[in-house]
């Protein structure tokens, strides 16, 4: 008997339905670190209608998708995608966003809407994320590519734990930036900062999803 969509986990749905992740991002549903929650439970926590979301997912599943189905791609191709699309990109993002956040606070620190402390937070996040990615690049990914998946349980557990910490960091990012709500008459630097933060938030969620819900489950 097929499990109804509302009873499946966000991680399962994100993996099985190309395009589901965009719907989840639009509704702030955590499909990466919170991917073990059922759609019904996650929707309830957010005050959303799970049945309506399930109907939308069913519609998406029936439509042709341009998204790559990473479940059908070999491990080496998935790892290469993660390295080029996310690891390299995160390093660029965090360096630039830290600079923008420091500039916004320097100029607009007296404004109550200013994301004070965001630059320092992003600098620490950048260091922690870089350390995490180096462990994947130097230890875990080579093990997986060489077929040593049975020996990877320990490193994978560490990566999952750190992913949970990154999920907490994304929540803190939204708190510091007041939910990415720009004040009236925000300057161009402030607007660029929040656009970049939204991109980082979405990219990091997708990055963690690909590892937690697809790559790590192959072992």
């Amino acid at each position: 008997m097929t499990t109804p969509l509302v009873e499946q986990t966000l991680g399962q749905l994100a993996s099985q339905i190309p395009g589901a992740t965009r719907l989840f991002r639009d509704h702030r549903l955590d499909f990466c670190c919170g991917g073990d929650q059922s759609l019904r439970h996650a929707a309830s926590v957010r005050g959303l209608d799970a049945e309506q979301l399930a109907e939308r997912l069913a519609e998406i599943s029936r439509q042709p998708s341009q998204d790559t189905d990473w479940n059908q791609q070999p491990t080496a191709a998935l790892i290469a995608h993660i390295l080029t699309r996310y690891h390299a990109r995160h390093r660029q993002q965090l360096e630039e966003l830290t600079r923008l956040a420091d500039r916004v606070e320097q100029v607009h620190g007296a404004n109550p809407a200013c994301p004070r402390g965001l630059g320092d937070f992003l600098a620490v996040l950048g260091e922690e994320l870089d350390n995490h990615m180096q462990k994947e690049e130097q230890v875990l990914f080579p093990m997986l590519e060489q077929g040593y998946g049975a020996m990877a349980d320990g490193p994978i557990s560490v990566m999952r734990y750190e992913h949970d910490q990154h999920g907490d960091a994304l929540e803190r990012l939204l708190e510091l930036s007041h939910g990415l709500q720009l004040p009236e008459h925000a300057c161009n630097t402030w607007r660029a900062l929040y656009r970049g933060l939204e991109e980082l938030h979405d990219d990091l969620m997708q990055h963690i999803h690909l590892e937690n819900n697809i790559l790590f489950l192959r072992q």
Side-chain angles (χ1 to χ4, degrees):
M1 182 174 178
T2 304
T3 304
L5 292 180
V6 292
E7 304 303 340
Q8 294 185 43
T9 68
L10 297 183
Q12 290 172 326
L13 295 167
S15 300
Q16 297 166 6
I17 303 176
T21 56
R22 284 194 291 274
L23 180 69
F24 292 157
R25 285 197 299 268
D26 289 344
H27 291 86
R28 296 294 189 197
L29 293 173
D30 181 4
F31 58 91
C32 57
C33 302
D36 58 350
Q37 304 176 80
S38 70
L39 175 60
R40 186 184 301 281
H41 174 75
S44 175
V45 170
R46 299 284 300 171
L48 302 170
D49 188 319
E51 297 293 343
Q52 286 187 357
L53 289 171
E55 290 176 8
R56 182 68 187 119
L57 286 169
E59 292 174 6
I60 292 172
S61 70
R62 291 191 291 268
Q63 298 169 358
S65 175
Q66 308 250 330
D67 295 345
T68 300
D69 183 355
W70 289 106
N71 285 297
Q72 304 302 318
Q73 299 298 315
T75 295
L78 175 54
I79 288 175
H81 174 69
I82 290 170
L83 290 174
T84 57
R85 175 61 181 83
Y86 297 106
H87 283 211
R89 180 63 180 142
H90 291 331
R91 290 178 170 116
Q92 297 171 347
Q93 287 171 314
L94 283 157
E95 180 179 358
E96 176 64 8
L97 291 171
T98 300
R99 185 188 69 79
L100 291 174
D102 287 341
R103 179 60 177 165
V104 168
E105 183 166 357
Q106 181 183 40
V107 175
H108 303 285
N111 188 324
C114 178
R116 288 187 288 272
L118 179 60
D120 291 340
F121 170 79
L122 290 172
V124 172
L125 176 60
E127 292 176 3
E128 292 176 346
L129 190 55
D130 185 63
N131 180 265
H132 172 87
M133 293 189 296
Q134 286 190 50
K135 284 184 281 191
E136 291 183 334
E137 293 161 3
Q138 297 171 13
V139 179
L140 179 57
F141 288 175
M143 290 178 68
L144 300 182
E145 288 182 308
Q146 293 168 26
Y148 298 144
M151 302 169 59
D153 286 350
I156 285 175
S157 294
V158 173
M159 295 301 99
R160 285 187 180 276
Y161 173 74
E162 293 183 0
H163 285 170
D164 288 343
Q165 293 180 311
H166 298 152
D168 293 340
L170 288 178
E171 290 299 316
R172 181 58 179 155
L173 182 153
L174 293 176
E175 290 174 7
L176 288 170
S177 61
H178 309 288
L180 298 177
Q181 295 300 308
L182 284 164
E184 191 176 1
H185 307 308
C187 70
N188 288 334
T189 301
W190 204 331
R191 293 179 185 278
L193 171 63
Y194 278 20
R195 282 196 301 271
L197 289 175
E198 184 168 14
E199 180 184 286
L200 172 66
H201 183 280
D202 291 350
D203 281 354
L204 189 52
M205 287 191 70
Q206 183 70 13
H207 175 188
I208 293 172
H209 156 66
L210 288 174
E211 293 183 359
N212 278 4
N213 300 323
I214 299 180
L215 180 63
F216 295 167
L217 295 183
R218 295 182 175 183
Q219 313 317 313

